[in-house]
């Protein structure tokens, strides 16, 4: 496992380009807040990237800018070569954000229903095709037997699988995940890490994954981007030379632990003055 040493190709659907992104906010007390500083990254189509860093370093802000929920401030952000918000992106939050009055099946279909209303991109031509897509996603996430259940009737881990299936229903160019497993117990979390590996490998969806769990970041990603404290900036990128989908053996391996220790040491050392680029 070595550090990355060259710019990746980002041609094609699912490529993400971030160049010299700087973001400032004004605090509730009217004070300037420098959140991101000269952040640059390229994500290849189909790549799985993890981002780790201290709380408040701007990880979630970066995801929100890529999705188009926040403006980019200064710099450039492109998804599929277009401005954020111009193409379909899926977002999975820290806690399941399901509608309690909808069944599992209807929750998964909700995002697809919105896509049908908003545009023709990836639009199934009939109700039958929409039902087929939902059924395929339920099978992919091992939820077929729970299609008629309501969120209150399933576990937290299963609720996050519903969240994942709903995000994938619109066939997003990029899947954005903001600490999606942090509220779960350790055993469930490890199981969902392996489930996510299988699902992403099968769909080929470009994925950007934020986590505070360094081992989780290493287990999931092709590359791990390490971010310094606010103002957030990347200080090192690690290549994880392990085939996908990752296995339980790698999850508990010395190879993973060694890289996780190196990242931990970097996060607890003084960061370099110049941000890293890739």
């Amino acid at each position: 496992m070595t550090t990355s040493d060259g710019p990746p190709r980002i041609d094609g659907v699912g490529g993400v380009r971030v160049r010299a992104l700087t973001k400032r906010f004004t605090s509730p007390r009217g004070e300037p807040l420098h959140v991101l500083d000269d952040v640059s990254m390229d994500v290849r189509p189909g790549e799985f990237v993890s981002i780790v860093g201290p709380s408040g370093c701007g990880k979630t802000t970066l995801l929100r800018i890529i999705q188009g929920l926040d403006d980019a401030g200064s710099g450039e952000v492109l998804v599929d070569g277009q401005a954020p918000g111009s193409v379909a992106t899926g977002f999975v939050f820290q806690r399941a954000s399901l509608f309690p009055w909808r069944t599992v099946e209807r929750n998964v279909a909700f995002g697809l229903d919105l896509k049908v209303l908003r545009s023709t991109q990836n639009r199934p031509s009939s109700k039958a095709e929409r039902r087929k897509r939902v059924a395929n996603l339920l099978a992919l996430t091992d939820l077929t037997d729970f299609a008629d259940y309501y969120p209150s009737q399933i576990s937290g881990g299963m609720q996050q699988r519903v969240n994942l299936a709903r995000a994938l229903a619109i066939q997003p160019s990029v899947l954005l995940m903001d600490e999606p497993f942090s509220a779960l117990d350790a055993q469930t979390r490890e199981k969902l890490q392996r489930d996510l590996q299988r699902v992403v490998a099968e769909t080929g969806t470009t994925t950007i994954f934020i986590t505070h769990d360094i081992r989780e970041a290493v287990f999931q990603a092709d590359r791990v981007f390490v971010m310094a404290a606010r103002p957030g900036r990347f200080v090192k990128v690690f290549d994880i030379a392990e085939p996908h989908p990752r296995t339980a053996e790698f999850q508990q391996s010395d190879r993973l632990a060694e890289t996780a220790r190196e990242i931990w040491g970097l996060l607890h050392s003084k960061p370099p003055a110049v941000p890293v680029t890739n």
Side-chain angles (χ1 to χ4, degrees):
M1 300 178 187
T2 60
T3 56
S4 179
D5 60 356
R9 290 172 54 85
I10 58 166
D11 305 311
V13 174
V16 177
R17 178 185 295 273
V18 179
R19 284 290 179 276
L21 174 63
T22 296
K23 181 68 176 179
R24 291 179 171 86
F25 291 107
T26 301
S27 74
R29 292 180 291 184
E31 300 169 344
L33 194 62
H34 192 177
V35 179
L36 296 171
D37 181 45
D38 196 22
V39 170
S40 295
M41 71 183 304
D42 288 339
V43 182
R44 307 175 184 96
E47 187 176 22
F48 196 122
V49 163
S50 291
I51 302 174
V52 297
S55 295
C57 70
K59 301 184 297 295
T60 296
T61 297
L62 177 59
L63 280 199
R64 289 176 58 85
I65 291 171
I66 292 171
Q67 194 183 31
L69 295 176
D70 284 337
D71 67 88
S74 63
E76 178 186 56
V77 179
L78 298 175
V79 181
D80 292 359
Q82 303 180 57
S86 302
V87 298
T89 55
F91 207 117
V92 180
F93 296 92
Q94 182 175 354
R95 295 184 179 274
S97 53
L98 304 177
F99 297 109
W101 59 88
R102 282 178 169 250
T103 64
V104 165
E105 181 179 34
R106 295 307 302 156
N107 265 288
V108 173
F110 179 75
L112 184 58
D113 292 342
L114 283 183
K115 175 55 67 177
V116 169
L117 290 173
R118 289 177 180 173
S119 78
T120 59
Q121 182 183 5
N122 298 331
R123 176 178 180 171
S125 60
S126 68
K127 288 183 179 180
E129 290 185 6
R130 293 201 295 274
R131 285 197 297 270
K132 181 179 179 180
R133 185 180 295 183
V134 170
N136 287 341
L137 285 165
L138 291 174
L140 184 64
T141 51
D142 294 330
L143 290 167
T144 300
D145 292 340
F146 300 91
D148 296 328
Y149 283 58
Y150 289 89
S152 62
Q153 298 173 315
I154 60 177
S155 68
M158 292 175 68
Q159 289 179 24
Q160 280 298 58
R161 294 215 305 270
V162 178
N163 253 7
L164 175 61
R166 183 173 64 184
L168 291 172
I170 61 172
Q171 296 182 335
S173 293
V174 181
L175 178 64
L176 306 170
M177 308 188 76
D178 191 0
E179 299 190 65
F181 306 147
S182 62
L184 305 173
D185 64 86
Q187 186 173 359
T188 300
R189 184 170 186 153
E190 290 184 357
K191 169 73 165 58
L192 283 182
Q193 290 169 6
R194 297 192 297 272
D195 288 345
L196 178 61
Q197 282 286 301
R198 173 179 53 80
V199 170
V200 171
E202 195 160 331
T203 61
T205 307
T206 305
T207 305
I208 303 176
F209 186 96
I210 286 177
T211 179
H212 280 100
D213 187 323
I214 299 172
R215 292 181 63 94
E216 179 174 75
V218 175
F219 176 72
Q220 298 286 6
D222 297 298
R223 291 186 295 157
V224 178
F225 284 69
V226 181
M227 186 174 276
R230 192 171 64 234
R233 59 211 182 278
F234 293 128
V235 294
K236 199 164 187 179
V237 184
F238 289 80
D239 282 340
I240 312 301
E242 194 75 26
H244 289 281
R246 305 279 164 78
T247 64
E249 183 275 331
F250 176 60
Q251 201 168 29
Q252 304 301 326
S253 70
D254 291 339
R255 306 189 305 281
L256 184 151
E258 180 182 351
T259 303
R261 282 193 295 270
E262 187 175 352
I263 294 173
W264 187 94
L266 182 62
L267 286 170
H268 290 80
S269 65
K270 185 177 179 179
V274 180
V276 70
T277 59
N278 69 95

